[in-house]
Amino acid sequence: MKNLKTIALALLVVAGTITTTAQNKKINVEKSKITWVGKKVTGQHDGTISFNSGTLVFDGKKLKGGSFEVDMTSITVKDLEAGKGKEKLEGHLKADDFFGVDKFSTSILEFKTIASKGSDIYTVTADLTIKGKTLPVTFDLAIGAGSARTAFKVNRTKYGIQYGSGSFFDNLGDKAINDDFELTVSLAY
């Protein structure tokens, strides 16, 4: 019985040590940013999206996890001026044809697997939820002092966003929009 108590106490100490070494680093949502680029046959548009919240999890200096919530209602277009198409495109991106932000006001990214590539670069596979649909995405994340950065592409059609896609509609000509959109993410924590 004494050995059982000693083993239980040792397991409790080990579990407590493991728990205390993990550090959750909340991102600064004001300093962190997501930029997007969507391309079409005749050009491209770009803009930003804001975070609601986010956390990176470290064990010492090693990345162990992360989760983020994005405010889809914050989609902005940067390459167009007010009164010259900016509001129209922002409205269309927020409409059901694209992100349907009235019903799906947030998107979620949750890290699932993380593999170190050395030099503070990690290959992350995460679940990305857009418009209520969750699919895996894989990207490299570079960790710096109080910062992290990544860039990756997302195939919008896999999330039910088919508007203007040549993969789903014929005879679009120069109105076709690429299925992939590009995200560049800069995190400050």
Side-chain angles (χ1 to χ4, degrees):
M1 186 69 168
K2 189 174 182 181
N3 277 345
L4 187 57
K5 286 182 181 177
T6 304
I7 292 170
L9 182 61
L11 288 173
L12 187 60
V13 169
V14 168
T17 303
I18 291 171
T19 302
T20 58
T21 59
Q23 300 173 5
N24 292 343
K25 305 263 186 170
K26 290 188 176 191
I27 65 166
N28 179 327
V29 295
E30 299 299 321
K31 292 183 179 178
S32 299
K33 70 177 187 172
I34 304 168
T35 57
W36 59 266
V37 175
K39 297 181 179 180
K40 56 186 181 173
V41 173
T42 58
Q44 68 182 40
H45 292 292
D46 64 83
T48 62
I49 312 170
S50 299
F51 287 100
N52 280 335
S53 62
T55 304
L56 288 171
V57 180
F58 291 90
D59 184 359
K61 292 185 176 184
K62 292 187 177 191
L63 180 67
K64 291 296 180 185
S67 61
F68 305 89
E69 182 179 279
V70 176
D71 177 8
M72 297 305 291
T73 67
S74 71
I75 296 172
T76 60
V77 175
K78 295 293 186 183
D79 65 300
L80 297 174
E81 295 178 25
K84 296 184 179 180
K86 176 181 174 67
E87 298 87 354
K88 182 178 178 184
L89 182 54
E90 287 175 353
H92 195 199
L93 291 172
K94 293 176 183 180
D96 290 339
D97 281 347
F98 279 93
F99 296 103
V101 301
D102 285 343
K103 186 174 179 184
F104 303 101
S105 62
T106 61
S107 289
I108 305 291
L109 181 77
E110 187 173 336
F111 292 7
K112 292 300 180 186
T113 62
I114 300 165
S116 176
K117 294 179 79 174
S119 301
D120 294 325
I121 298 175
Y122 297 86
T123 298
V124 176
T125 298
D127 282 346
L128 176 60
T129 303
I130 298 174
K131 289 186 82 171
K133 186 163 188 171
T134 303
L135 296 166
V137 293
T138 301
F139 52 88
D140 285 346
L141 182 69
I143 302 292
S147 67
R149 184 169 172 80
T150 189
F152 60 98
K153 293 180 180 182
V154 176
N155 183 330
R156 65 188 174 92
T157 64
K158 292 183 177 184
Y159 296 90
I161 306 168
Q162 299 173 355
Y163 181 86
S165 169
S167 299
F168 291 88
F169 302 100
D170 293 329
N171 304 318
L172 291 173
D174 63 0
K175 296 194 185 326
I177 301 169
N178 290 12
D179 290 348
D180 290 338
F181 62 90
E182 301 168 11
L183 296 175
T184 302
V185 182
S186 299
L187 303 172
Y189 56 90

